Amino acid sequence: MEKENTYYGVKEIARRANVSIATVDRVLHNRSGVSEKTKKKINDIIKELDYQPNILASRLASKKIISLAVLLPRVSEETDFWEAPMKGVTRADSEIKKYGVQVTTFYFDLNDPATFNEQAAAILNGDFKGVLLAPSFIEESRKFIRSCREKRIPFVFIDSDLPDEDNLCYIGPHLFQSGYVGAKLSTYRLKEKHKVAVVNISKETDGYNYLQIEEGFRSYFKDHDLPIEIIRIDIKDTDSLSVTRDLTRALHKDDDIEAIFVTNSRVFSVAAFLEKSKRSDISLIGYDYLKENIAYLNTEQIDFLICHKPEEQGYRGLMALYQTLVLGAPVEKTYFMPIDIITKENQAFYQN
Amino acid sequence: MEKENTYYGVKEIARRANVSIATVDRVLHNRSGVSEKTKKKINDIIKELDYQPNILASRLASKKIISLAVLLPRVSEETDFWEAPMKGVTRADSEIKKYGVQVTTFYFDLNDPATFNEQAAAILNGDFKGVLLAPSFIEESRKFIRSCREKRIPFVFIDSDLPDEDNLCYIGPHLFQSGYVGAKLSTYRLKEKHKVAVVNISKETDGYNYLQIEEGFRSYFKDHDLPIEIIRIDIKDTDSLSVTRDLTRALHKDDDIEAIFVTNSRVFSVAAFLEKSKRSDISLIGYDYLKENIAYLNTEQIDFLICHKPEEQGYRGLMALYQTLVLGAPVEKTYFMPIDIITKENQAFYQN
DNA sequence: TATATTTACGGGTACGTACCCGGCATCTTA
DNA sequence: TAAGATGCCGGGTACGTACCCGTAAATATA
């Protein structure tokens, strides 16, 4: 059993062009030292044979290593959501490590924009050939990627987008549509059709992503002519006490809220509050496959979770950099993640 | 920038064992010609260094090719469901082709068990090192895999399982739980809580998979003490006329059916029937991300689709064979696919 | 015209593994 | 005891590409 010899390599190209392998190699990597005439001749043969380099041999022979930086929120006691993207990053790393890629991870604190700036500066100081980041802080991220662009370092966004920036690509949810799905799920147990609340628990309550999600959420009710009042609740401090305080006040003001849609993974803190308040009449929808959230899904305090495959985002994000920088292959400008619906019944088989 | 030298190769092993590279190689491929003593010494060093062979170099140096067979239903006019697993197979093929793997696909007709037997025989005649198949016909598959076992050819099931057989692995849904989710979704628009129908449109109406799904479906109602009558409707002939005839009869007999759960991808033919009969009062749940099904999802004739990532099944199935046969790495015995819920709202972003 | 510099290219080795071939002991057998 | 058989092992080349180094010819400079 012999391997088919359908592939032509540099050797065949060299033979046909009456030059040495080294010269063909120079043309392939457009290094200097080849006359225009031979260069053209070789390029023609390359095209004619539809030459595909053998990546195995190429990476084997090359000694170059490529350094990539990853800039993500640190896993905190408050939420371990970012564990998942990191898992994806690690998986990608171990796959491409043998191809000469080295990944360094930098963490920032979601409650402290200054840490983002610090880490971003560290990345700019290092000699990195590409960056993967979650642009959680809008302004800080804008500043950072401006520097990247100046240094010609390609960058990839995951989880949330920053519009109008010439990033390499965005890998994450279609935020508007995600809110739209959240709205539909919110109507699942709606009876009197009075009020629903959309809750944002985050330092950055007027960021681009949040606005997009809320817009999608509202659009669903508009599109279906549902005369429902939507209460917006912003909770700037993410600790459990603040959540309890703000929610108590909000539910006191509007006691006929029938459904709550939390725009991020902190839905478990709302679930905890509702449980303590013995409010099982309010349906609760939120985001992300976290241990805490799944627990409340199982006790039916949470009705649905929406999830955007965070692990795959990390994996694909790093792979996108690998593809452009190592393989020189083009990547899609935006890659929308599926909008997965998790219930008590199907959660056991969900792939984060 | 130099590649880190964290990896030890055969050279280092040879050096430490005071033998040549060739001898290490003999041990690695447990070929003959090495004394027990040196063999043990080398194996100890291999373990100590946690030696991982460089697949790049290995496949580059090897001239062997490995042939794999794929046995799947042909895409028919009736349903193009099997396009998706084939896409996954093709994707895996193109990824591993360069590692010296050759894939040959055999198709059978879902309406004719004889074609399965023919193709199975053809595979047994060829010199294949592994088989990926969908055991759609229970008895025929049993016979086929018995021969595979005798010839020591590993086989992988996708889409549906055959219990109690020592296959390499099963990649597909947890059928019982899938039916359970289907039941929950069936209650979405239930009002009077009278009757629901579970419809099986297939030549093989008493196969293992169908029974598992129905059991899961019934269990949901039992677990939640819902006093609902479940009507079972078997439709042996899959053409549109037969479906119409059988459904007309069934709905005439039980005119208070509120929800229909179709146990496979042929839910679109039920949707077509309901549309013609102007029965938008019946909620309809079925399987798989097909063009026809999505169309009815968009017109809201179908409420929910359940999907088990058919493309990934094909991809992973082939990769499982690749892993065992080429890389010699172990694979999970069963790999349950997620039970994805598709609605009109999230369908645009579904990854089959 | 003689010398220095640049241009254009080929030879050859390395990457880590697979595997052929040949050689040196040790062991059989007559 | 000599001839062959066998067990055990090392040398060396190949896989397809990357890239260093050397060199002859072409061109520039004196």
Side-chain angles (χ1 to χ4, degrees):
Chain A
M1 280 203 298
E2 292 292 307
K3 233 186 258 187
E4 284 173 75
N5 259 340
T6 49
Y7 293 118
Y8 293 113
V10 280
K11 208 186 293 179
E12 175 66 14
I13 297 173
R15 201 187 57 80
R16 296 197 186 199
N18 273 323
V19 294
S20 74
I21 291 176
T23 302
V24 174
D25 191 69
R26 272 185 278 262
V27 173
L28 282 171
H29 298 82
N30 53 297
R31 266 180 266 131
S32 62
V34 186
S35 71
E36 280 306 317
K37 213 179 74 183
T38 39
K39 191 170 184 173
K40 188 185 176 326
K41 182 161 61 169
I42 290 173
N43 270 324
D44 286 349
I45 295 174
I46 287 174
K47 259 195 196 147
E48 188 192 329
L49 294 185
D50 184 32
Y51 167 73
Q52 302 286 111
N54 185 324
I55 309 275
L56 301 194
S58 171
R59 291 309 301 174
L60 182 63
S62 173
K63 280 169 135 42
K64 281 212 197 81
I65 79 151
I66 292 176
S67 294
L68 302 180
V70 172
L71 180 55
L72 295 182
R74 181 183 303 286
V75 175
S76 65
E77 311 106 49
E78 284 176 11
T79 165
D80 53 1
F81 169 73
W82 288 96
E83 226 175 76
M86 263 317 294
K87 245 181 100 176
V89 165
T90 309
R91 188 158 55 91
D93 181 26
S94 69
E95 270 185 36
I96 60 184
K97 193 163 48 184
K98 55 169 80 81
Y99 295 105
V101 178
Q102 198 177 52
V103 178
T104 314
T105 311
F106 298 82
Y107 299 103
F108 63 89
D109 184 344
L110 267 179
N111 285 318
D112 185 3
T115 60
F116 182 95
N117 288 333
E118 283 167 25
Q119 299 302 308
I123 291 174
L124 290 171
N125 271 333
D127 186 26
F128 294 101
K129 299 279 177 272
V131 180
L132 170 72
L133 80 154
S136 306
F137 299 116
I138 316 278
E139 274 320 308
E140 287 77 1
S141 302
R142 280 237 166 75
K143 206 182 118 207
F144 174 51
I145 58 179
R146 213 174 309 140
S147 308
C148 288
R149 216 174 308 129
E150 278 167 20
K151 291 192 156 203
R152 309 208 154 277
I153 302 172
F155 46 91
V156 170
F157 294 141
I158 62 168
D159 189 58
S160 64
D161 203 1
L162 235 52
D164 297 329
E165 301 284 357
D166 58 347
N167 50 358
L168 176 61
C169 73
Y170 164 62
I171 295 170
H174 187 294
L175 295 162
F176 179 95
Q177 199 64 22
S178 180
Y180 202 87
V181 171
K184 169 168 183 163
L185 296 177
S186 300
T187 66
Y188 186 28
R189 284 184 1 189
L190 237 49
K191 282 178 191 128
E192 303 296 326
K193 320 234 168 193
H194 277 155
K195 292 181 185 166
V196 300
V198 45
V199 178
N200 186 24
I201 308 172
S202 155
K203 273 262 177 293
E204 190 108 22
T205 51
D206 47 359
Y208 173 74
N209 18 344
Y210 171 60
L211 294 178
Q212 287 290 101
I213 289 177
E214 186 178 344
E215 208 174 308
F217 189 79
R218 290 180 182 274
S219 291
Y220 180 84
F221 295 101
K222 213 176 293 161
D223 289 356
H224 292 74
D225 288 323
L226 300 177
I228 287 181
E229 192 184 339
I230 299 168
I231 315 287
R232 174 172 168 170
I233 304 173
D234 282 350
I235 303 179
K236 289 257 183 190
D237 291 304
T238 58
D239 61 295
S240 152
L241 245 68
S242 307
V243 172
T244 303
R245 171 172 35 83
D246 291 4
L247 280 179
T248 307
R249 192 180 311 156
L251 286 189
H252 185 73
K253 191 156 155 254
D254 298 286
D255 65 340
D256 48 354
I257 286 177
E258 288 191 335
I260 295 178
F261 175 60
V262 185
T263 61
N264 61 23
S265 64
R266 300 180 192 268
V267 53
F268 59 87
S269 60
V270 178
F273 167 78
L274 290 180
E275 190 183 41
K276 260 186 286 173
S277 327
K278 301 227 161 45
R279 293 292 299 262
S280 62
D281 57 313
I282 299 181
S283 50
L284 183 57
I285 291 92
Y287 279 91
D288 299 329
Y289 188 82
L290 305 187
K291 268 195 293 294
E292 300 100 310
N293 288 347
I294 295 299
Y296 285 116
L297 198 64
N298 283 331
T299 64
E300 297 182 350
Q301 192 65 249
I302 294 178
D303 289 77
F304 290 100
L305 288 171
I306 297 174
C307 198
H308 303 126
K309 299 209 174 302
E311 183 179 333
E312 199 179 330
Q313 287 184 38
Y315 178 80
R316 280 185 182 272
L318 209 52
M319 284 313 214
L321 287 169
Y322 169 70
Q323 257 191 51
T324 15
L325 294 170
V326 180
L327 305 183
V331 294
E332 292 280 345
K333 181 74 183 163
T334 54
Y335 189 93
F336 286 127
M337 285 287 127
I339 301 167
D340 291 327
I341 300 170
I342 308 179
T343 73
K344 180 184 178 183
E345 289 76 18
N346 72 357
Q347 57 88 4
F349 303 102
Y350 187 65
Q351 292 166 347
N352 217 17
Chain B
M1 281 203 296
E2 292 292 305
K3 232 185 257 187
E4 283 174 77
N5 259 340
T6 50
Y7 292 118
Y8 295 112
V10 281
K11 208 186 293 180
E12 175 65 15
I13 297 173
R15 200 186 59 79
R16 296 199 185 199
N18 273 323
V19 294
S20 73
I21 292 176
T23 302
V24 175
D25 192 69
R26 273 185 278 263
V27 173
L28 283 170
H29 298 82
N30 54 296
R31 268 180 263 130
S32 60
V34 187
S35 70
E36 279 305 317
K37 213 180 74 185
T38 37
K39 190 171 184 172
K40 187 184 176 328
K41 181 161 59 169
I42 290 173
N43 271 324
D44 286 349
I45 296 174
I46 287 174
K47 258 194 197 148
E48 188 193 329
L49 295 185
D50 185 32
Y51 167 72
Q52 302 286 110
N54 184 323
I55 308 278
L56 301 194
S58 171
R59 292 309 301 173
L60 182 62
S62 172
K63 282 170 133 43
K64 282 213 196 79
I65 79 152
I66 292 177
S67 294
L68 303 180
V70 172
L71 180 56
L72 295 182
R74 180 183 302 287
V75 175
S76 65
E77 312 106 49
E78 284 176 12
T79 165
D80 52 3
F81 169 73
W82 288 97
E83 226 174 75
M86 262 317 294
K87 244 181 99 178
V89 164
T90 309
R91 187 158 54 92
D93 181 26
S94 69
E95 270 185 35
I96 59 184
K97 192 163 50 184
K98 56 171 79 84
Y99 294 106
V101 178
Q102 199 178 53
V103 178
T104 314
T105 312
F106 298 81
Y107 298 103
F108 62 90
D109 183 343
L110 267 178
N111 286 316
D112 185 3
T115 59
F116 182 95
N117 288 333
E118 283 166 27
Q119 299 302 309
I123 291 174
L124 290 171
N125 270 334
D127 186 26
F128 293 102
K129 299 280 177 272
V131 180
L132 170 71
L133 79 154
S136 307
F137 299 116
I138 316 279
E139 274 319 308
E140 287 77 2
S141 301
R142 280 237 165 75
K143 206 182 117 206
F144 173 51
I145 59 177
R146 213 175 308 141
S147 307
C148 288
R149 216 174 307 130
E150 279 168 20
K151 290 191 156 204
R152 309 206 153 277
I153 303 172
F155 45 91
V156 170
F157 294 140
I158 62 169
D159 187 57
S160 64
D161 203 1
L162 235 54
D164 298 329
E165 301 284 356
D166 57 348
N167 50 358
L168 176 61
C169 74
Y170 163 62
I171 295 170
H174 188 295
L175 295 162
F176 178 96
Q177 200 64 21
S178 180
Y180 202 87
V181 171
K184 169 169 183 163
L185 296 176
S186 300
T187 65
Y188 187 28
R189 285 186 0 193
L190 236 49
K191 282 179 193 128
E192 304 296 327
K193 319 235 169 194
H194 278 154
K195 290 179 185 170
V196 301
V198 45
V199 177
N200 186 25
I201 308 172
S202 155
K203 272 261 177 293
E204 190 108 21
T205 51
D206 47 359
Y208 172 74
N209 17 345
Y210 171 60
L211 294 178
Q212 287 290 102
I213 289 177
E214 185 177 345
E215 208 174 308
F217 188 80
R218 290 180 182 275
S219 292
Y220 180 84
F221 294 101
K222 213 176 292 162
D223 289 355
H224 291 74
D225 288 322
L226 300 177
I228 285 180
E229 192 183 340
I230 299 168
I231 315 287
R232 173 172 169 171
I233 303 174
D234 283 349
I235 303 178
K236 289 257 184 189
D237 290 304
T238 57
D239 60 295
S240 151
L241 245 68
S242 307
V243 171
T244 303
R245 172 172 33 83
D246 292 4
L247 279 180
T248 308
R249 194 180 309 155
L251 286 188
H252 184 74
K253 191 155 155 255
D254 298 286
D255 65 339
D256 49 354
I257 286 176
E258 288 191 335
I260 295 180
F261 174 60
V262 185
T263 61
N264 60 24
S265 64
R266 299 178 192 271
V267 54
F268 59 85
S269 60
V270 178
F273 166 78
L274 290 179
E275 190 182 41
K276 258 186 289 173
S277 327
K278 303 225 161 47
R279 293 292 300 263
S280 62
D281 57 313
I282 298 180
S283 54
L284 182 56
I285 292 91
Y287 279 92
D288 299 328
Y289 188 82
L290 305 187
K291 268 195 294 293
E292 300 100 311
N293 288 347
I294 295 301
Y296 284 115
L297 198 65
N298 283 331
T299 65
E300 298 183 351
Q301 193 64 248
I302 293 178
D303 289 77
F304 291 100
L305 288 171
I306 296 173
C307 198
H308 303 126
K309 299 212 174 299
E311 182 179 332
E312 200 180 330
Q313 287 185 39
Y315 178 80
R316 279 184 183 272
L318 209 52
M319 283 314 214
L321 287 169
Y322 168 71
Q323 259 192 50
T324 14
L325 294 171
V326 180
L327 306 184
V331 294
E332 292 280 345
K333 182 73 183 164
T334 53
Y335 189 92
F336 286 127
M337 285 287 127
I339 301 166
D340 291 328
I341 301 169
I342 307 178
T343 73
K344 180 184 178 184
E345 288 76 18
N346 72 355
Q347 56 88 7
F349 304 101
Y350 188 66
Q351 292 166 346
N352 214 19

